[in-house]
Amino acid sequence: MSITGPAGAPPETAAIRFVALLPAGWHAEISGLQENAAHLRIAAPTDTTPAQAAEAATGILSRPGLQGWQLVDD
């Protein structure tokens, strides 16, 4: 999963905030950072559907401190 943000927004901070807001039972590893993008490996419970994962990610990105960041298809 990747998230991208506005120019000049630090991807390190966004990645840490995103990981901190994951639902209980979910785990993430930051797999790469670019100028305005963070790449994450997300592990969700086995019964999580792709739609549920996308909904959770979108919800996280709507939280304070992450507005302006968006989910990108890898």
Side-chain angles (χ1 to χ4, degrees), residues 55-68:
E55 183 178 332
T58 301
I60 290 169
L61 294 173
S62 71
R63 304 280 300 270
L66 287 170
Q67 285 112 357

Side-chain angles (χ1 to χ4, degrees), residues 28-60:
E29 177 182 315
I30 300 168
S31 61
L33 300 167
Q34 294 177 324
E35 184 176 327
N36 68 330
H39 308 283
L40 306 145
R41 289 192 183 107
I42 306 293
T46 56
D47 61 343
T48 304
T49 66
Q52 290 170 323
E55 183 178 332
T58 301
I60 290 169

Side-chain angles (χ1 to χ4, degrees), residues 5-35:
E12 302 87 347
T13 303
I16 291 167
R17 288 178 177 160
F18 187 92
V19 171
L21 293 169
L22 286 171
W26 292 46
H27 304 283
E29 177 182 315
I30 300 168
S31 61
L33 300 167
Q34 294 177 324
E35 184 176 327

